[in-house]
Amino acid sequence: MPESESTPARVLVVEDDAGAAQSQEALLQQGGFRTASCRSGAEALARAQTEPFDLVLLDIDLPGEPGALALTRELKKAPHLAWMPVMFVAGQISAEVVAKVYEAGGDEFIAHPFKPDELIVRAKVLSRKGREERWLVERARKLAEKIAERDDELDDLRRFAQDIVSSLPSAIMVLDAQKQILFVNAPLLQWLGLERREVINKNLVEFTRDGLTGDPLAEAIAGATGSGQPRRLRRVTGLFASRPDRVSDLTVAAIDYAGERQVLVVIEDVTEQARAEAAVARERAKLHDIVNALNAALCLVDRERAVIWKNRTFDLWFGDAFGQPGLQAFLDRIPKGQGWWQSVFQKGQVHHQTWSVFTVHGQRRFFANIIAPIQAEDGEPISQALILTQDVTEQETRVEQLSLLRELSQFLQQTLDGERLNHVILLCVTAGHALGFNRAFLFKRNHQNSRLEARMAVGPTSREEAFRIWAEISSHGRTLHELVEELDRYPSRETPLFAMVRQLSYAMDDPSEIVVRTALEKKPQVLTAPAHDERVTDHFRRVFGHAEFVSVPMVAKGSVVGVLLADNLYSGRAITEDHVKLLSLFGAQAALAIENAETYAELRKSMSELRSAQEKIVHAEKLAAVGKMAAHVAHEIRNPLATIGGFARAVLKRPENVERVQRNVGIISEEASRLENMLKGVMDFARPTSPVFKLGDLNAVVQKAFRAHAEPLGQKKIQAELDLDSSLPEVGFDEGQILQVLHNLIRNAADSMPNGGAFLLKTGREGEMATIMVQDTGCGIPPEVRDRMFSPFVTTKPDGTGLGLAVTKKIVDDHLGVIRCESTPGEGTTFQIGLPLRQPASGTWLREAPPAGTPAPPLGEVRGVPSTGD
């Protein structure tokens, strides 16, 4: 019988790398193997000649002579060593490598890196097979010797050998040189479904599926009968006609019996294992396809930041492709020894980072890295990390677009000078990567002669200048604010591009010109192929070229103020729908800014005329009443106009003092912003939109508002707490309006705690009311203000409009809810909102107006009934 499985199998590790050999021996020893190692093929061959090993684990890239394949051939050529299984270790497995392994007589291979369990399982299977084959061959040899020595015991020994072979789980047959079957064991008969008498002395070709012509088994049998070279065939499908779907592994070896060469064939059914391997291969292929299909770059780096594996997207983004960031830009963001390195390699933590880089085209790309450690085993230091890099340019662009619109609004509100405003508008169109057009042109409507006239142009005048500018942006990344500051330092400088178009003027009644058509139709025009577009005149093409461009109307209060025209002549970047939408939004803001500047100029003129008229009225007794009226009007607008006029005159007196001009214009802008904010608040209060009731999760909306303010509250050293009632059912409400209520109350709470404090946002239920409590430990509300705090224009803030709580009360009332306030000066304030849980069957809620002086109902009472549609 083969050696007991309780006896540890011996494995010879042949590996020139001492570290790799030590690692493999450690894994095998953990699996219960005894191991020995050699550094060369010659040493391994000599040792195998003198010591029995149950398995040889061989590095396929073994240097020196003999190499891995030659060593295998030497082992398989020696009859007393041919049974010894050989398993190759390879870094990459290809069809060519597999062919070489099996041609040399190798039994198995495993790809590095491999899992410890995978190596141990395969080693156990091969060592068990090796023991069986060694025992079988050795036993057959001994039996042959005994038969030669003791002819009288021949029959008994033959039966004994057959019984032993029949008891083995593998199918076995013995053939002669003509492939005639001399012996089969029980498992093989069971596979064939035949009796022994139906098989013995028959030719093997009668049972194989397609005969043996050109078959690997035929070649192996010929090799065994000829040279005695053993052969191992793996994954042979449909060997027997009766089992066409089964997969087998075969070992073909030569044996000598009574001076005749015979062939021993050991067949093992590995169908389930082959299917499992095929399934694993399919899943690996799927994973590989998924990894490459992900819109994310993946790479594996070591502690020295060397990239040891990467996917296709990584090569695309950080390879040598022109216009891409490149590998160095990636490595610059993960310098060794920085915080990320310590977090990942020393602490084993996942690290997140966001970074950006400018391309050679001056476009800014944003990336987000997730760096995760690859955990080592047995307490070994972490040596590798997986980095997933996502291109978040689109998301960051969205954020920049919103920031840009806000920043543009501030710039435009601060600019009342017409020429400077023209330049600022076009700087906004060409700066940053949210819009970032190559060139921009501004046409303004002249109401006196009804023409569209070129007033400003910004951008490079040649491809060389464009690449020089992009290189500067890539190196320095100047912001819009810095560009405007540069404009303030050189206010009278005319751009070379404007010199090329300053004489352009188009009649408003000539729709053949694209800018005029844009103004008349009041909608954006995107021309992807101007060279062949009938909307473009030949003169326009000669001036502006043939590149794709967009033309956007600037409309304020229904009237066209001008037209913005922009293109990407030099970068060739496509103009997307998002670019058009954003440019249209900006065009609307720019139109209002232009109108404000013109209104300001007219206002100054009107002020002068008003003062002149007032002087005449005062001196004319017949117009005394009119003079009194004018004085009354002047009194009403005196404060805002006095502030604006006074600082404007100060600007005119000392225009060369840039710092003073900026300060004065800032004050003018603040006054205008204050009036605009008050006007916006009044319009929100006077014309609120009706709520659109929709069943939803009130806790989710409250949590959303809390998260939006968590960071600002933390910056003010306010300890914020969120307490959500998980049993709260769905509530009918308008999410946008309820968020506005929560934002107003949370901002008021934060403003009441300038030195920090505690803040609580809580949901609950009282009767048929869902409740929201907003509580702070701020300065509180004075008693004299508390009774009037929901009235318009009541505020305790120096810069407040007094409309926030009025709008809040209006929204809650429209939701048929109630709002209450408890406040103690110096201790804090608590607002509690109640929203009805009962929903209307149809239509919208109808509020019942309570009689004057009726106190607010307690939380839990529903104010109103559902509409019946009458």
Side-chain angles (χ1 to χ4, degrees):
M1 295 293 292
E3 293 181 39
S4 173
E5 292 188 0
S6 61
T7 303
R10 297 197 65 201
V11 180
L12 178 61
V13 178
V14 185
E15 172 64 65
D16 64 301
D17 187 333
Q22 184 178 2
S23 175
Q24 293 171 10
E25 285 192 82
L27 290 175
L28 292 168
Q29 289 169 7
Q30 291 176 7
F33 292 88
R34 291 182 300 165
T35 64
S37 63
C38 295
R39 298 292 178 265
S40 67
E43 181 184 359
L45 184 59
R47 195 159 184 178
Q49 297 282 357
T50 58
E51 298 180 42
F53 290 94
D54 299 299
L55 174 64
V56 177
L57 188 62
L58 179 57
D59 180 10
I60 196 170
D61 297 320
L62 184 69
E65 291 294 333
L69 298 177
L71 173 60
T72 304
R73 294 189 185 96
E74 291 293 326
L75 292 174
K76 297 299 182 180
K77 185 170 62 177
H80 65 290
L81 299 177
W83 56 266
M84 191 177 298
V86 178
M87 180 164 62
F88 285 80
V89 179
Q92 293 183 345
I93 301 298
S94 64
E96 182 180 358
V97 172
V98 172
K100 290 182 178 179
V101 167
Y102 290 144
E103 187 277 333
D107 296 274
E108 185 62 281
F109 57 85
I110 186 170
H112 184 81
F114 47 77
K115 295 182 178 179
D117 291 342
E118 182 180 6
L119 175 62
I120 292 172
V121 168
R122 293 193 181 189
K124 286 183 176 179
V125 171
L126 283 181
S127 62
R128 184 172 63 250
K129 290 181 182 178
R131 285 185 171 187
E132 290 179 359
E133 293 176 10
R134 180 181 63 177
W135 180 86
L136 183 62
V137 172
E138 183 66 19
R139 188 61 180 170
R141 184 182 63 80
K142 290 180 178 180
L143 287 174
E145 291 176 355
K146 288 182 178 180
I147 290 172
E149 295 173 358
R150 303 177 183 179
D151 293 338
D152 56 342
E153 298 178 0
L154 178 61
D155 293 338
D156 292 337
L157 290 176
R158 181 177 297 167
R159 285 194 297 271
F160 179 65
Q162 290 178 349
D163 291 340
I164 293 174
V165 172
S166 298
S167 66
L168 295 176
S170 301
I172 297 174
M173 62 181 171
V174 178
L175 310 173
D176 63 13
Q178 288 73 39
K179 307 179 185 66
Q180 190 167 349
I181 301 175
L182 304 178
F183 169 81
V184 293
N185 68 345
L188 183 56
L189 292 173
Q190 184 178 359
W191 288 5
L192 296 176
L194 299 172
E195 297 291 337
R196 189 181 301 275
R197 58 183 174 78
E198 298 176 289
V199 178
I200 297 299
N201 297 324
K202 297 291 182 66
N203 198 287
L204 180 62
V205 298
E206 298 181 27
F207 305 99
T208 56
R209 187 176 60 178
D210 299 318
L212 297 176
T213 303
D215 189 272
L217 177 57
E219 297 177 3
I221 293 174
T225 56
S227 64
Q229 179 71 28
R231 184 83 174 272
R232 183 172 178 82
L233 304 178
R234 285 179 48 85
R235 305 303 188 260
V236 178
T237 302
L239 174 63
F240 296 108
S242 60
R243 297 164 56 89
D245 60 337
R246 306 304 292 182
V247 181
S248 305
D249 281 357
L250 289 81
T251 300
V252 181
I255 58 174
D256 291 326
Y257 177 72
E260 294 184 3
R261 175 64 57 87
Q262 297 178 350
V263 179
L264 174 67
V265 182
V266 180
I267 309 169
E268 183 177 2
D269 189 329
V270 293
T271 303
E272 300 306 323
Q273 181 181 350
R275 290 173 179 173
E277 290 175 351
V280 171
R282 288 193 298 270
E283 293 303 319
R284 284 181 177 175
K286 289 180 183 178
L287 179 60
H288 185 268
D289 292 340
I290 290 172
V291 167
N292 284 323
L294 284 175
N295 188 25
L298 286 171
C299 72
L300 199 64
V301 300
D302 60 16
R303 297 173 70 92
E304 302 300 324
R305 303 180 305 133
V307 178
I308 57 181
W309 174 86
K310 57 187 180 295
N311 70 344
R312 188 163 51 218
T313 306
F314 187 95
D315 274 333
L316 177 63
W317 289 354
F318 305 115
D320 299 328
F322 181 74
Q324 296 295 338
L327 179 61
Q328 193 57 46
F330 175 81
L331 295 177
D332 287 344
R333 270 63 185 185
I334 53 170
K336 182 180 177 182
Q338 298 295 325
W340 77 271
W341 193 92
Q342 297 172 355
S343 297
V344 174
F345 286 110
Q346 295 183 357
K347 300 180 181 179
Q349 299 174 345
V350 178
H351 183 78
H352 299 260
Q353 62 179 193
T354 301
W355 55 281
S356 65
V357 63
F358 284 92
T359 67
V360 294
H361 288 151
Q363 297 178 3
R364 195 175 187 185
R365 296 275 298 276
F366 286 87
F367 297 96
N369 286 348
I370 301 177
I371 310 176
I374 304 299
Q375 297 294 340
E377 298 183 2
D378 301 329
E380 293 293 326
I382 297 171
S383 61
Q384 296 179 348
L386 180 67
I387 304 180
L388 184 147
T389 304
Q390 294 177 297
D391 188 337
V392 294
T393 303
E394 184 175 351
Q395 297 91 311
E396 293 295 333
T397 298
R398 299 289 186 189
V399 174
E400 181 171 314
Q401 287 174 351
L402 297 176
S403 301
L404 178 64
L405 288 176
R406 183 173 60 252
E407 190 175 2
L408 297 181
S409 178
Q410 295 174 353
F411 277 126
L412 296 179
Q413 289 176 8
Q414 297 170 3
T415 304
L416 294 175
D417 178 76
E419 289 300 317
R420 183 177 185 273
L421 180 60
N422 295 341
H423 210 145
V424 169
I425 290 173
L426 296 191
L427 279 178
C428 294
V429 175
T430 56
H433 72 280
L435 280 172
F437 288 97
N438 292 174
R439 304 190 305 175
F441 306 87
L442 173 64
F443 293 85
K444 291 178 66 175
R445 183 175 184 178
N446 188 330
H447 291 277
Q448 296 180 354
N449 59 14
S450 190
R451 298 182 70 86
L452 277 175
E453 300 173 346
R455 292 295 182 87
M456 184 58 65
V458 170
T461 57
S462 66
R463 184 174 299 275
E464 291 74 17
E465 183 183 359
F467 275 90
R468 179 183 58 78
I469 293 173
W470 293 334
E472 181 181 350
I473 292 175
S474 179
S475 301
H476 305 291
R478 289 188 298 173
T479 65
L480 176 61
H481 183 75
E482 292 171 341
L483 293 173
V484 174
E485 285 185 344
E486 181 178 345
L487 174 63
D488 291 334
R489 289 195 296 270
Y490 307 101
S492 60
R493 186 173 62 180
E494 181 181 280
T495 65
L497 187 63
F498 180 49
M500 296 169 54
V501 300
R502 66 179 307 155
Q503 301 300 325
L504 295 181
S505 176
Y506 303 110
M508 284 295 294
D509 58 357
D510 182 11
S512 64
E513 295 294 346
I514 187 63
V515 290
V516 177
R517 176 176 293 190
T518 302
L520 294 177
E521 296 181 1
K522 296 182 181 178
K523 65 180 183 180
Q525 307 275 345
V526 180
L527 287 86
T528 57
H532 308 290
D533 199 310
E534 61 183 9
R535 293 174 293 175
V536 181
T537 62
D538 291 337
H539 178 264
F540 191 93
R541 293 189 187 98
R542 287 195 298 271
V543 175
F544 294 96
H546 300 82
E548 176 187 23
F549 70 87
V550 58
S551 178
V552 174
M554 302 168 63
V555 182
K557 299 178 182 178
S559 178
V560 175
V561 175
V563 173
L564 278 174
L565 190 145
D567 66 18
N568 290 318
L569 176 63
Y570 303 114
S571 69
R573 185 172 63 154
I575 298 174
T576 66
E577 184 179 351
D578 287 343
H579 291 147
V580 177
K581 289 180 180 178
L582 188 61
L583 187 61
S584 299
L585 288 174
F586 171 67
Q589 288 193 358
L592 290 174
I594 291 175
E595 187 180 53
N596 289 341
E598 292 176 350
T599 301
Y600 174 72
E602 293 175 1
L603 181 62
R604 289 178 56 195
K605 181 179 179 181
S606 299
M607 284 284 296
S608 177
E609 293 175 353
L610 180 61
R611 282 193 297 269
S612 176
Q614 186 178 9
E615 291 175 359
K616 293 179 181 180
I617 292 172
V618 170
H619 289 87
E621 294 180 355
K622 293 181 180 181
L623 300 177
V626 177
K628 290 181 181 180
M629 180 61 71
H632 178 73
V633 172
H635 175 75
E636 291 297 322
I637 64 173
R638 181 179 57 188
N639 287 341
L641 292 183
T643 301
I644 294 174
F647 284 96
R649 287 191 294 273
V651 170
L652 293 174
K653 288 180 180 179
R654 297 287 298 280
E656 71 281 357
N657 190 335
V658 176
E659 182 178 357
R660 183 177 180 184
V661 167
Q662 289 179 337
R663 182 177 66 252
N664 292 346
V665 171
I667 295 172
I668 293 173
S669 176
E670 291 174 358
E671 287 296 312
S673 297
R674 182 173 65 85
L675 294 177
E676 289 174 358
N677 290 335
M678 183 176 292
L679 176 60
K680 181 180 180 301
V682 170
M683 294 183 70
D684 286 344
F685 179 74
R687 294 186 297 178
T689 57
S690 299
V692 178
F693 290 99
K694 193 172 183 180
L695 279 175
D697 185 355
L698 187 61
N699 282 335
V701 176
V702 172
Q703 187 177 42
K704 182 178 181 180
F706 181 86
R707 288 178 175 174
H709 293 272
E711 183 175 353
L713 290 172
Q715 293 174 351
K716 292 186 176 183
K717 298 182 180 180
I718 297 173
Q719 295 182 351
E721 180 182 354
L722 177 65
D723 185 1
L724 301 177
D725 185 356
S726 60
S727 66
L728 197 64
E730 287 189 326
V731 183
F733 60 93
D734 186 314
E735 179 176 344
Q737 292 191 3
I738 294 301
L739 278 174
Q740 185 178 358
V741 167
L742 292 172
H743 290 327
N744 287 342
L745 295 179
I746 295 174
R747 279 194 292 265
N748 287 346
D751 292 340
S752 71
M753 297 180 285
N755 298 319
F759 171 82
L760 172 64
L761 184 58
K762 180 179 180 181
T763 61
R765 177 175 181 174
E766 292 185 16
E768 292 301 313
M769 283 282 188
T771 62
I772 305 173
M773 185 174 71
V774 183
Q775 186 178 72
D776 64 68
T777 59
C779 58
I781 303 174
E784 63 272 17
V785 177
R786 199 178 309 148
D787 295 337
R788 300 180 294 111
M789 63 184 177
F790 293 114
S791 300
F793 307 109
V794 175
T795 182
T796 59
K797 302 178 184 178
D799 57 344
T801 64
L803 292 171
L805 287 178
V807 172
T808 296
K809 180 70 162 58
K810 184 69 173 174
I811 292 175
V812 174
D813 288 346
D814 288 343
H815 279 71
L816 305 175
V818 294
I819 182 169
R820 283 182 159 183
C821 175
E822 295 179 5
S823 183
T824 303
E827 294 184 6
T829 301
T830 301
F831 281 92
Q832 191 158 5
I833 299 168
L835 299 177
L837 293 172
R838 183 163 58 89
Q839 297 302 311
S842 63
T844 58
W845 291 97
L846 293 177
R847 293 197 305 118
E848 296 177 345
T854 301
L859 291 178
E861 295 184 13
V862 178
R863 295 172 56 192
V865 295
S867 169
T868 61
D870 295 337

